[in-house]
Amino acid sequence: MKLIFEESAAGRHTEYLPEPDIPAVEPDFRPRQKKLRLPELSEVQVDRHYTALAKETRGVNGGFYPLGSCTMKYNPPVNEAAAALPGFASVHPLQPDETVQGCLEVMRQTEAYLAEITGMDAISLQPAAGAHGEFTGLLLIKAYHRAKGDAGRTKILVPDSAHGTNPASAAMAGFEVVNIPSDADGYVDLEELKKAAGPDTAGLMLTNPNTVGLFDPNIEAITRTVHEAGGLNYYDGANLNAIMGIVRPGDMGFDVVHLNLHKTFATPHGGGGPGSGPVGCKAFLRGFLPGIRVEENGGLLRRGEAAARIGDVRSFGSNFGVVVKALAYLLSIGREGVPRTAANAVLNANYLMNRLKGLYPMAFDATCMHEFVMTLEPLKQEIGVSAMDVAKALLDYGIHPPTMYFPLIVHEALMVEPTETETRETLDAAAEAFRAILEDARRDPEQMHGRPLTTRIRRPDEVKAARKPVVRYDFGD
Ligand SMILES: *Cc1c(COP(=O)(O)O)cnc(C)c1O
């Protein structure tokens, strides 16, 4: 396929608009010394070029996309229409409160629903991403200890099955990270936790379900241990689609939680945003929350700020369009839809896991939540076929590869998250693809290193592609 610059021919263009009938004004400031070299193409050429590019892309619209941990869940386009309504899309955050009553009501309602779903008392919609929410939540924990005059609590306990952003956020927030190992079943090692928790513990950060897709059965013992040591409990709720409407972090002993609206609540994930990582907390932390507090005052909704707030973590109240989509989604699935979504996410993951169990070894033998992890280590030892080889071969079956080599605590990991929206037929077809790949691998292990066979680009140097992407056209002069 040619690059758009290679398709360019001098003088070729599309013209719809007449020349302006007002005189052109020469700006005083003219930093550009040379004429801008844009590709020159006809309209049809441009259309075909980008349509061809789009067809080369594997997306959730094109087929099964079981990317564990961070997958695209359900993002119906109808929510985009809601977010694009002029009353939402054309307002300015500096408008007076009286002129944005609908927007403030959207924020207030979304906060109320998210508080109810998480079992928290207050929510800040300000953080713009999951990791940003973690950072914010940790600053709440820090502010709490500081307000009590307890300066010695400098450590955050992070189980090794936590999402990678957890230790990074704790370090960013100025804490020392203490790694808590998992036991053989993939759960937090309670004895190790008890040993680590003490007077220097600021809190615990727990990803639940953890990154191997398991719900920790000792969750209450875990949060109790940390509370008894004087620390607070932080819940990474990015993948709340596994539990929402069934259990609530607030009821399990957690004090702070973040959610990823751009995973569980109907905004597409990936591609760089915009996202939203609201933070919820118990009442005793409410006064530290960043962002705006919407309160009713004299029949009008007004924007205020929490008393002892930690400060703003970004401009204005939220990535508002994402909040509108989350509310539209919640209203469309309704009270019954919230637990049904979780039930289907868990059912789909367990169905596929059980179809694959006899073929691929699972990292942990337990009922999974919204995702499961297999290990290709035995196959690699036996015939040299790796998790990467199997993941790449899935592309030949029209399936986007699952998450590879994550979590780090499982060797040759493939992490599969089907999501709540897939049909049984899709899951069966995926199981069949996994089976056929294994058969291919056993028949001829060597050819597996050359898969996929059906894509234009087959095995790029992934490190180089990520670290040194070529995004600038070289005119050669
Ligand atoms: C995706 C994810 C995050 C990070 O969210 P970002 O919006 O990418 O910063 C944190 N924790 C878990 C469990 C996640 O899946």
Side-chain angles (χ1 to χ4, degrees), residues 12-75:
R12 191 172 284 162
H13 64 285
T14 302
E15 209 167 69
Y16 287 124
L17 300 176
E19 288 291 319
D21 56 5
I22 50 170
V25 177
E26 290 292 322
D28 300 336
F29 177 62
R30 305 182 68 187
R32 186 179 297 286
Q33 301 298 315
K34 278 196 267 177
K35 194 170 173 286
L36 189 61
R37 284 200 285 192
L38 293 172
E40 299 177 76
L41 298 96
S42 76
E43 180 182 6
V44 173
Q45 276 184 302
V46 174
D47 189 346
R48 287 190 186 145
H49 179 82
Y50 287 107
T51 303
L53 268 183
K55 283 186 183 162
E56 295 286 323
T57 308
R58 301 275 165 159
V60 77
N61 310 74
F64 189 41
Y65 199 111
L67 189 68
S69 182
C70 295
T71 198
M72 290 269 267
K73 305 182 205 307
Y74 183 43
N75 309 301

Side-chain angles (χ1 to χ4, degrees), residues 289-446:
L289 278 179
I292 61 172
R293 314 280 89 226
V294 179
E295 268 145 29
E296 199 165 331
N297 190 339
L300 271 186
L301 295 177
R302 300 227 172 255
R303 280 169 283 190
E305 291 171 354
R309 61 209 293 272
I310 55 167
D312 280 324
V313 293
R314 67 181 290 276
S315 56
F316 304 117
S318 63
N319 263 344
F320 183 65
V322 181
V323 175
V324 174
K325 285 188 268 185
L327 182 61
Y329 171 70
L330 283 170
L331 292 173
S332 68
I333 63 173
R335 183 173 281 277
E336 319 73 45
V338 173
R340 197 164 56 218
T341 297
N344 283 337
V346 173
L347 178 65
N348 276 357
N350 278 285
Y351 179 78
L352 188 54
M353 180 176 77
N354 277 284
R355 287 224 40 183
L356 296 179
K357 235 178 196 171
L359 299 168
Y360 292 85
M362 296 299 147
F364 300 98
D365 184 21
T367 303
C368 67
M369 298 301 291
H370 61 303
E371 63 194 0
F372 59 92
V373 182
M374 357 199 240
T375 169
L376 279 279
E377 183 73 5
L379 195 70
K380 192 172 179 198
Q381 303 264 334
E382 194 188 329
I383 55 174
V385 170
S386 66
M388 174 75 96
D389 295 332
V390 172
K392 293 286 184 187
L394 283 167
L395 285 163
D396 289 332
Y397 291 85
I399 295 176
H400 189 284
T403 297
M404 298 180 282
Y405 298 99
F406 182 83
L408 302 176
I409 53 176
V410 175
H411 292 293
E412 293 295 322
L414 283 184
M415 174 189 245
V416 181
E417 175 174 3
T419 79
E420 58 270 17
T421 36
E422 296 299 341
T423 63
R424 182 166 173 178
E425 288 81 357
T426 301
L427 301 178
D428 285 337
E432 177 51 27
F434 272 104
R435 194 201 54 74
I437 289 167
L438 197 60
E439 205 173 281
D440 278 357
R442 292 209 181 282
R443 198 177 47 240
D444 180 1
E446 275 313 303

Side-chain angles (χ1 to χ4, degrees), residues 69-70 129-131 134 163 165 207 236 238-239 258 260 262-263 269:
S69 182
C70 295
E134 293 169 23
H163 193 266
T165 49
T207 303
D236 179 337
N239 299 300
H258 90 266
N260 278 33
H262 52 290
K263 275 182 187 165
H269 178 54

